Amino acid sequence: ADADPRRARRALVVSAAALVAGLVDLVTGLRFVPGLVATTPLAAYGLVRAPRLGRRGRAVAVVALGGAVGVWITQFLGGAGPQWGGRYLLTSGACGLALAAASSVAGGSGARRVFVALAVMGLAVTAVGVVWTVERTRATAAAMARLADRPEEVLVFEDGFLAREGGPLVLDEHWLAVPDTLTPDAPALADLLTTLGVERVGLVERERGQEPALVAGHRPVGVDRIEWVSGLALRVSTYELAP
């Protein structure tokens, strides 16, 4: 039995919260699961149990929490979450896992049961992430194949990272990416298309319900929607060279 019932209750509360977070991620469907607690609930459990492990346990917890706070304060918030993830929290997570393992050894049967339950939940969330990655890869390949079959002479992507999703397929296609400093209606894009002798062009955007963009020197002639992944879709607006 735990010598300090209050610490045991705190550990159980954190464990329950971690389990709920993991279950919510599982029932909402396949997707990228963010968050240290949701993906590695054992780490949170270990940090809560650290005081029971004495001076060394508290020292490890200080390192883990200090590193996490430093990351949260200084990290750059941007896109590409699945690609970048919480790599700078790996040290904090590893410390939490070590504390959880030590606590399960030093604690009673109750601590070991909690350890096993949270380990299973963490593995389940990881499995969801792996399956989601497979689904996303296949869906992206299908969407890019449909783009490659488009009749336009050139496809212009508003997001260069989106075009890069095509992988080696891009090497055989006439695809352009609009720089962040340039908009589709910029004369520079029209000049480039004219230089290339392009009369029919497709503008690829993420579907957000926005108004169709304008392409300088061209008139719109049609819009198509291509399903992508996890409810996301791509919109391809077709333009022809204006007379």
Side-chain angles (χ1 to χ4, degrees):
D2 200 313
D4 189 339
R6 289 175 299 178
R7 288 177 180 171
R9 284 195 295 269
R10 287 199 297 268
L12 288 175
V13 168
V14 172
S15 303
L19 284 170
V20 170
L23 288 173
V24 168
D25 280 317
L26 290 177
V27 301
T28 52
L30 293 175
R31 63 183 179 86
F32 171 68
V33 181
L36 179 63
V37 174
T39 57
T40 318
L42 270 176
Y45 175 71
L47 292 175
V48 173
R49 297 279 294 184
R52 177 166 170 74
L53 299 175
R55 182 183 303 174
R56 292 182 178 179
R58 288 191 292 270
V60 174
V62 167
V63 171
L65 293 174
V69 171
V71 170
W72 292 330
I73 292 176
T74 61
Q75 69 179 346
F76 171 77
L77 298 179
Q83 288 86 344
W84 292 102
R87 61 180 61 190
Y88 299 116
L89 291 174
L90 289 177
T91 298
S92 298
C95 289
L97 289 175
L99 290 170
S103 177
S104 70
V105 173
S109 59
R112 287 190 287 273
R113 285 195 295 269
V114 172
F115 180 91
V116 172
L118 293 178
V120 170
M121 179 56 63
L123 290 174
V125 174
T126 298
V128 169
V130 172
V131 174
W132 175 83
T133 300
V134 173
E135 178 186 298
R136 183 187 185 281
T137 300
R138 291 178 175 175
T140 299
M144 292 298 157
R146 290 188 61 186
L147 289 176
D149 289 337
R150 298 284 306 179
E152 293 87 357
E153 300 169 69
V154 170
L155 291 182
V156 177
F157 288 75
E158 64 155 357
D159 184 350
F161 289 101
L162 178 59
R164 194 176 63 180
E165 295 277 5
L169 184 66
V170 177
L171 301 177
D172 298 324
E173 302 299 327
H174 296 157
W175 291 359
L176 299 175
V178 179
D180 294 337
T181 56
L182 196 66
T183 57
D185 61 347
L189 178 58
D191 293 341
L192 175 60
L193 295 174
T194 300
T195 301
L196 295 174
V198 176
E199 295 186 356
R200 190 177 180 90
V201 61
L203 177 64
V204 183
E205 307 170 279
R206 285 187 175 88
E207 178 62 77
R208 307 184 186 92
Q210 70 273 37
E211 292 294 324
L214 298 177
V215 175
H218 293 71
R219 59 185 180 89
V221 295
V223 177
D224 291 320
R225 176 186 171 95
I226 295 178
E227 296 298 328
W228 187 13
V229 65
S230 301
L232 300 177
L234 304 177
R235 184 174 67 181
V236 184
S237 304
T238 304
Y239 302 83
E240 289 183 348
L241 187 64

